[in-house]
Amino acid sequence: MEDLLLYLTNGVFMGSTYALVALGVTLIVGIMGVINFAHGELYVLAGYFSALCSQALGFDPLSSMVVAVVLVFFFGLVIERILIRPTYGQEMYSLIITFILYIILQNAYLVVFGPYPNKPPNWVNGASDILGLFSYSNQRLASFAAAAAVIAVFMVVMRKTWFGRVIRSVAMDREMASLLGVNPERVNMLSFGLGCVLAACAGVILTPVFPVTPTVGVGISLTAFVVMILGGLGSLTGCIVGGLLLGIVENLGVAYISSGYKSLFGFLILILVLFFRPTGLFGQKRL
């Protein structure tokens, strides 16, 4: 029983970060109709920035994370303005451009940071006793709390604020929102930046546990797309549930079957869910 609870805890921890990355992908797809193949590279970039600020500049962990997220946000705005905006309405072009961007960024990371794993220092050390059943890393507990807090703030912004209502209005009917005075291009720009921020938050939260390498972004992007489809295209709630479900299934599969099939478990659960619910767990047409 202790082992099962440990695996479930690990699954919830990983699932929270999966959800965080997938929320960014869903936001960008839902608002702009853009599949950002380089989304995982923004996760990696934030991890490198965080490590660089901590190790080379001597920043404390919180300052390093904030600086990394802000830098990725502005980098996302530049990408949107220069590369994505000219392709609006041409989904295939935006897909090709973000694929090329993914290749360029991955090679740039290899040249600048080298092939070796890189990580910032842990926020906290040691381990905590969980209900007297097992010990669990304090860093993982802190990372999970941070991921849950970011997801909660994002959901409040999307559901309860004027900014969130504007984003959802553009997602539902771009022309009507424009007639009511909303600037769709500006909403697109901010939505893309916010999506990049979510990827960056996942990067700075998870990097102390799992160091970044130039190639780790591929797996992050694929996982985000799997979670997005699993939860249902356009569903923010589906991203959260899908991320947690995928994290738990992966960890139980690794623990009781084989770690060699870790990536396969995600696709199996995706196929199973889509067989019974082709629109995903919470599939809907609008955010």
Side-chain angles (χ1 to χ4, degrees):
M1 178 59 74
E2 290 86 352
D3 289 343
L4 176 61
L5 291 175
L6 175 61
Y7 302 143
L8 290 174
T9 304
N10 263 330
V12 172
F13 163 67
M14 291 302 303
S16 63
T17 57
Y18 291 166
L20 196 53
V21 181
L23 283 172
V25 173
T26 293
L27 181 67
I28 294 172
V29 171
I31 302 298
M32 305 168 63
V34 171
I35 298 176
N36 181 14
F37 205 86
H39 197 74
E41 305 312 312
L42 300 170
Y43 166 102
V44 176
L45 183 61
Y48 277 130
F49 278 152
S50 178
L52 187 64
C53 289
S54 297
Q55 297 169 356
L57 304 179
F59 289 7
D60 61 79
L62 180 59
S63 300
S64 300
M65 292 167 60
V66 172
V67 170
V69 171
V70 170
L71 289 175
V72 171
F73 170 70
F74 284 110
F75 184 60
L77 296 185
V78 172
I79 293 174
E80 191 278 335
R81 182 65 185 86
I82 298 176
L83 300 178
I84 305 298
R85 191 174 299 184
T87 69
Y88 282 162
Q90 305 176 73
E91 296 177 3
M92 184 56 67
Y93 286 161
S94 61
L95 179 63
I96 293 173
I97 285 178
T98 57
F99 181 74
I100 294 173
L101 179 64
Y102 139 74
I103 295 174
I104 293 173
L105 288 177
Q106 189 178 93
N107 282 279
Y109 298 153
L110 186 62
V111 171
V112 175
F113 300 104
Y116 307 107
N118 207 323
K119 70 183 284 294
N122 285 352
W123 310 342
V124 292
N125 296 313
S128 295
D129 183 68
I130 306 298
L131 304 175
L133 298 174
F134 57 88
S135 293
Y136 202 71
S137 163
N138 287 335
Q139 177 57 52
R140 291 194 176 214
L141 291 173
S143 293
F144 169 70
V150 173
I151 291 173
V153 170
F154 172 74
M155 294 302 287
V156 169
V157 169
M158 292 299 297
R159 301 296 187 198
K160 302 295 184 183
T161 67
W162 172 84
F163 178 65
R165 286 193 290 273
V166 168
I167 288 179
R168 285 186 284 130
S169 70
V170 173
M172 287 186 286
D173 192 328
R174 180 176 295 273
E175 292 185 2
M176 180 60 70
S178 180
L179 291 174
L180 294 174
V182 175
N183 185 333
E185 285 194 352
R186 184 166 296 178
V187 173
N188 282 349
M189 179 185 68
L190 293 176
S191 299
F192 192 85
L194 182 56
C196 295
V197 164
L198 292 171
C201 287
V204 299
I205 288 172
L206 205 56
T207 301
V209 180
F210 298 108
V212 288
T213 64
T215 58
V216 75
V218 180
I220 297 295
S221 292
L222 289 176
T223 299
F225 291 133
V226 168
V227 170
M228 179 179 67
I229 298 171
L230 181 62
L233 291 175
S235 173
L236 302 180
T237 303
C239 279
I240 299 172
V241 175
L244 293 174
L245 178 61
L246 180 61
I248 291 172
V249 169
E250 274 190 357
N251 274 274
L252 291 179
V254 168
Y256 292 109
I257 300 178
S258 170
S259 60
Y261 299 121
K262 181 180 179 181
S263 299
L264 183 62
F265 298 132
F267 288 105
L268 288 178
I269 191 67
L270 177 63
I271 292 171
L272 186 63
V273 169
L274 292 183
F275 181 79
F276 292 103
R277 286 187 60 85
T279 59
L281 293 173
F282 294 84
Q284 56 188 27
K285 294 183 179 180
R286 62 186 185 185
L287 290 175

